[in-house]
Amino acid sequence: MHPTGNDIIQFIDLNLISVLFLFAVGFVGGLVSGFIGSGGAFVLTPGMMSLGVPGTVAVASNMCHKFPKALVGAIKRFRYGQVDVKLGLIMGVSAEIGVQLGINLQKSILEKWGQAGSDLYVSLAFVVVLVVVGGLVMVDVLKSAKATGDQKTTGIAQRIQQIELWPMITFKTAGVRISLWFTVPVGLATGMLAATIAVGGFIGVPGLMYVIGVTSLVASATELVIAFVMGLGGTLIWAWYGMVDLRLTLIILGGSLFGVQLGAIGTTYVKDYMIKLVMATIMLVVALSRAIAMPRYLNQLGLMALSDGWVKVLSQVSFGFMILALVIGASIILGSMYKARKTEILAALEPEPQTVQG
Amino acid sequence: METKINPIVFQPGGTHTVVTPNPEPRQEIVEAPVPTRRILVVSRKGRFDTALMEHALNIAERLSLDLVCLYIDPLPQWSAKSGSMRRFADTARENAALFEARARERQVRIDTIITDGKVVEKVRDLVHAVRRVEFVVVEPGIRTEELMATLSVPVFTAVVNPDADVQGEVLQRGQMDIRSLGRPEPGKDFSSTYQLIGGGEEMAKTELRKKKVQKAFIFGTAAAALYAALFAFADPLMAIATKGGFFALVSVGTVFLVSYVHGNFTGYFWSALGIEASKTVTVKPTAKVQKPAKRTDKRPRARLSV
């Protein structure tokens, strides 16, 4: 059996500030997750590490809070008829395989190029994936905001749906019939990204929307099922090695369950493209944050020469941008929800038309 | 021009008769063979929405009540001039036949009256004549305030939500405990399905909110107790949970428990604050997925043997 947590890990002492910090980040992360299906995790891991939590414990504890949060969010959004459970489970299982592939890839990179090389790979993956996918989503948002009417299925998704490759699966809530062989790669990519940057949803949700052809509302809700399956599998592995700090998990969960409920409620108020807008904004700001952090790793690899002072400043600025990404996302969600609620309340207060009686 | 349209009485057996032009539809009802408890359903459009029909039948079936459907043309003079009178009568007859057929399937007794005149007067007269009307359900647009002032039975307005994603979804308003009447779709959030507005809604709203506050309080207390217990015994718990191996289930089980208790608390917490899912925006039904038709012929397919 592997060495257990007690032998190798120093669990941190918690004080009021760290508890409040974790609770608050948990809440905002939960709000974003409930709304776009994922997110928040990318801030929590470095956030915990900044409090002195060892990296593995931070990842494990983050993972352990992720699956119950996703479960609560998925149940809530299932009640609104937004979740395609079958699609979520199929994608979840393939994502779980993707996680294992991602971990192995990371391991081989770590062996070849060391810690700095691994960190650089993670940052590169962050920047490339987030800029490309986030950029595509943002372009779509700008088009959707101008266009009126329902979301249209993309050309790629339409073509893929027409390919009759056994086994064909019908997903009723998502409203698509597609071959299993097209859902699996999206799931694998989701899992690989989750293993690399902790947020698989940045591939999962756009993949569901643009490759499989489901609406952003159903995509973001179904992503919660994927996150649950992945999170549960990941947690069992980390907890098997005794890496989970339950106290950290419970504090984050305390905040994130408030957030995830509110985020799920928020999806019933906004137009579909708002989900894409929040997702694209967060992705692009996070990409910027990781780009700022990259010189540090280049420095470690000897590809750049930076003083320690600069490295520290860049790290802090990078972390600040990550928090900013979440705050911007949360503000858009809360702002649009507030507006929509206000409009609805005002409409309800309008007097009924007078009845003319004979 | 009080009565331009012949009142029609639909008998429970499925046949209907046109009653002589005149007059007092209430007399027809008084003569109903078996006086049982009834629900009076009122329309002035000449047709009930499918959802409202189903809802009325659900209630009648559940509470073992009979139905009396009253179609009132409130503007007979205008109808006569514009020629829409005939349309009102035709529409009402067609709709009544449909309603009656559905009632027969459900074995609910139903009587139908088509008439014209003032809604308040006609309903009041009918309720007084029939006597055993338990409550009145009116379609939206009919002002319940006046009816309530003249009647001694409860009046509800059933609003069919045009944006609803489920056909047959009815938004109910009234003073009664709506859960005894409605049958929300399984798996659907009750609060997002039902909207309480109009006469008497304040009571029901307050009642619902009160229950949510109570549940928020119960789950909140349970969540606080759970958190207090977990943190009071954090050290021994951590010692066990971090042993690894099958002790991993301690961590997973704990978070599942917390997610149930605390998840329920947070859900009711927002509800208690009045922050709930939008009443108007619902998921648009996705287009039905077309499966390719299966071959029905049994002719052998061409095979290639190499």
Side-chain angles (χ1 to χ4, degrees):
Chain A
M1 193 168 146
H2 283 263
T4 58
N6 281 345
D7 303 328
I8 54 167
I9 299 166
Q10 286 293 310
F11 290 109
I12 62 156
D13 287 328
L14 290 166
N15 57 40
L16 186 65
I17 293 169
S18 56
V19 169
L20 287 177
F21 172 75
L22 290 173
F23 187 89
V25 178
F27 172 75
V28 182
L31 179 66
V32 172
S33 294
F35 195 79
I36 65 171
S38 62
F42 57 86
V43 174
L44 279 165
T45 307
M48 278 190 265
M49 286 166 74
S50 72
L51 294 175
V53 180
T56 44
V57 177
V59 172
S61 308
N62 190 2
M63 187 77 91
C64 189
H65 112 277
K66 188 169 145 178
F67 82 87
K69 172 184 76 176
L71 177 67
V72 170
I75 291 171
K76 185 93 171 171
R77 293 189 64 176
F78 178 78
R79 288 186 179 147
Y80 303 149
Q82 301 171 347
V83 177
D84 195 309
V85 180
K86 190 160 64 164
L87 182 60
L89 290 177
I90 289 174
M91 295 269 292
V93 172
S94 41
E96 192 63 63
I97 299 166
V99 170
Q100 299 308 320
L101 289 176
I103 290 170
N104 284 328
L105 182 66
Q106 287 252 51
K107 268 186 194 164
S108 56
I109 289 170
L110 192 65
E111 280 165 19
K112 230 175 185 178
W113 289 295
Q115 188 60 49
S118 171
D119 289 345
L120 186 64
Y121 158 70
V122 171
S123 284
L124 259 178
F126 249 115
V127 175
V128 173
V129 172
L130 297 192
V131 167
V132 173
V133 183
L136 284 173
V137 179
M138 188 55 101
V139 168
D140 184 33
V141 170
L142 297 175
K143 278 185 196 164
S144 309
K146 282 180 196 164
T148 50
D150 297 341
Q151 286 184 99
K152 284 178 187 162
T153 312
T154 57
I156 303 168
Q158 277 176 349
R159 255 173 270 155
I160 286 176
Q161 284 172 20
Q162 280 164 7
I163 301 171
E164 294 274 329
L165 194 62
W166 184 89
M168 294 295 287
I169 305 174
T170 304
F171 300 105
K172 282 184 185 161
T173 308
V176 294
R177 182 171 179 275
I178 195 168
S179 169
L180 175 75
W181 302 110
F182 294 112
T183 59
V184 169
V186 179
L188 287 177
T190 307
M192 284 186 73
L193 194 72
T196 314
I197 68 169
V199 191
F202 287 159
I203 285 240
V205 180
L208 280 166
M209 291 190 297
Y210 302 119
V211 179
I212 297 183
V214 305
T215 61
S216 52
L217 205 57
V218 175
S220 57
T222 304
E223 174 61 32
L224 287 166
V225 179
I226 304 171
F228 167 72
V229 176
M230 271 198 302
L232 182 59
T235 303
L236 283 169
I237 294 169
W238 283 116
W240 184 270
Y241 299 136
M243 299 288 190
V244 174
D245 188 337
L246 256 182
R247 301 167 309 158
L248 296 178
T249 300
L250 292 176
I251 293 164
I252 303 165
L253 200 57
S256 72
L257 291 190
F258 278 105
V260 80
Q261 299 268 14
L262 193 59
I265 293 169
T267 59
T268 65
Y269 283 94
V270 298
K271 289 193 173 129
D272 284 357
Y273 75 86
M274 286 303 293
I275 291 171
K276 292 181 189 169
L277 175 68
V278 172
M279 173 164 266
T281 310
I282 291 177
M283 284 170 88
L284 293 175
V285 179
V286 171
L288 180 66
S289 147
R290 295 316 293 177
I292 295 168
M294 272 173 67
R296 175 184 165 193
Y297 308 122
L298 291 171
N299 196 37
Q300 285 171 350
L301 287 169
L303 299 170
M304 258 180 106
L306 277 178
S307 66
D308 287 350
W310 268 109
V311 170
K312 206 177 170 187
V313 169
L314 286 178
S315 299
Q316 282 172 353
V317 172
S318 163
F319 186 61
F321 267 95
M322 276 207 176
I323 291 185
L324 185 70
L326 265 195
V327 172
I328 292 173
S331 311
I332 299 173
I333 296 168
L334 293 176
S336 49
M337 207 173 146
Y338 174 75
K339 256 197 220 164
R341 268 178 66 82
K342 203 173 157 189
T343 315
E344 197 170 278
I345 290 166
L346 284 176
L349 287 176
E350 272 179 22
E352 281 183 29
Q354 288 286 308
T355 307
V356 184
Q357 295 190 348
Chain B
M1 296 289 283
E2 169 63 22
T3 308
K4 283 281 182 185
I5 302 161
N6 296 345
I8 298 171
V9 176
F10 286 79
Q11 300 300 338
T15 55
H16 58 270
T17 50
V18 178
V19 181
T20 41
N22 161 8
E24 299 298 335
R26 59 183 181 175
Q27 287 171 2
E28 297 299 325
I29 295 301
V30 171
E31 289 163 18
V34 189
T36 46
R37 297 187 305 141
R38 294 152 190 257
I39 306 167
L40 176 61
V41 198
V42 185
S43 167
R44 48 166 208 170
K45 286 189 302 192
R47 56 177 287 275
F48 290 105
D49 290 296
T50 316
L52 179 48
M53 262 186 212
E54 284 301 320
H55 194 60
L57 287 168
N58 282 344
I59 301 169
E61 196 178 27
R62 182 176 174 146
L63 302 178
S64 302
L65 298 176
D66 289 359
L67 284 177
V68 179
C69 303
L70 179 60
Y71 298 86
I72 309 169
D73 183 0
L75 297 167
Q77 287 164 334
W78 181 82
S79 298
K81 276 180 198 165
S82 69
S84 65
M85 176 183 68
R86 169 123 190 99
R87 247 175 290 150
F88 183 89
D90 288 348
T91 315
R93 274 192 204 102
E94 271 176 30
N95 192 256
L98 183 68
F99 209 159
E100 195 267 335
R102 287 180 183 225
R104 196 167 39 200
E105 278 171 19
R106 308 277 284 270
Q107 296 183 327
V108 173
R109 281 170 54 94
I110 185 167
D111 293 315
T112 306
I113 299 161
I114 303 172
T115 185
D116 60 16
K118 288 188 176 178
V119 175
V120 176
E121 282 175 16
K122 291 289 173 189
V123 173
R124 184 195 59 206
D125 290 349
L126 198 61
V127 169
H128 287 164
V130 174
R131 291 192 182 280
R132 302 210 61 177
V133 170
E134 292 297 311
F135 55 89
V136 180
V137 178
V138 296
E139 70 178 9
I142 295 177
R143 292 169 69 185
T144 49
E145 295 84 349
E146 285 181 50
L147 280 173
M148 287 161 79
T150 53
L151 297 177
S152 56
V153 293
V155 180
F156 301 95
T157 303
V159 185
V160 179
N161 181 6
D163 297 318
D165 58 332
V166 182
Q167 201 190 4
E169 180 176 309
V170 173
L171 306 181
Q172 172 98 31
R173 56 180 173 182
Q175 290 174 308
M176 194 176 280
D177 182 357
I178 57 176
R179 277 163 306 176
S180 66
L181 304 175
R183 287 181 177 177
E185 286 290 314
K188 279 188 75 71
D189 189 5
F190 182 85
S191 56
S192 65
T193 308
Y194 286 78
Q195 185 182 26
L196 299 171
I197 35 175
E201 85 267 20
E202 283 307 320
M203 252 174 77
K205 245 184 180 178
T206 316
E207 208 43 41
L208 268 180
R209 175 74 67 83
K210 216 189 252 176
K211 287 201 170 149
K212 279 171 181 166
V213 171
Q214 275 173 4
K215 284 198 171 171
F217 184 76
I218 292 166
F219 277 105
T221 312
L226 186 62
Y227 264 87
L230 288 171
F231 277 90
F233 298 100
D235 291 339
L237 184 72
M238 285 280 286
I240 297 167
T242 53
K243 274 184 181 173
F246 286 104
F247 289 100
L249 296 177
V250 175
S251 302
V252 175
T254 307
V255 289
F256 262 122
L257 179 66
V258 170
S259 69
Y260 173 74
V261 178
H262 188 48
N264 267 306
F265 164 57
T266 53
Y268 286 117
F269 173 80
W270 294 119
S271 297
L273 290 181
I275 299 171
E276 291 185 279
S278 168
K279 308 269 190 306
T280 54
V281 181
T282 47
V283 185
K284 286 168 196 154
T286 43
K288 280 215 164 182
V289 192
Q290 292 291 324
K291 280 188 185 178
K294 280 193 176 173
R295 275 172 60 119
T296 49
D297 62 281
K298 290 180 180 173
R299 280 180 298 167
R301 291 201 170 99
R303 286 172 193 274
L304 181 67
S305 304
V306 184

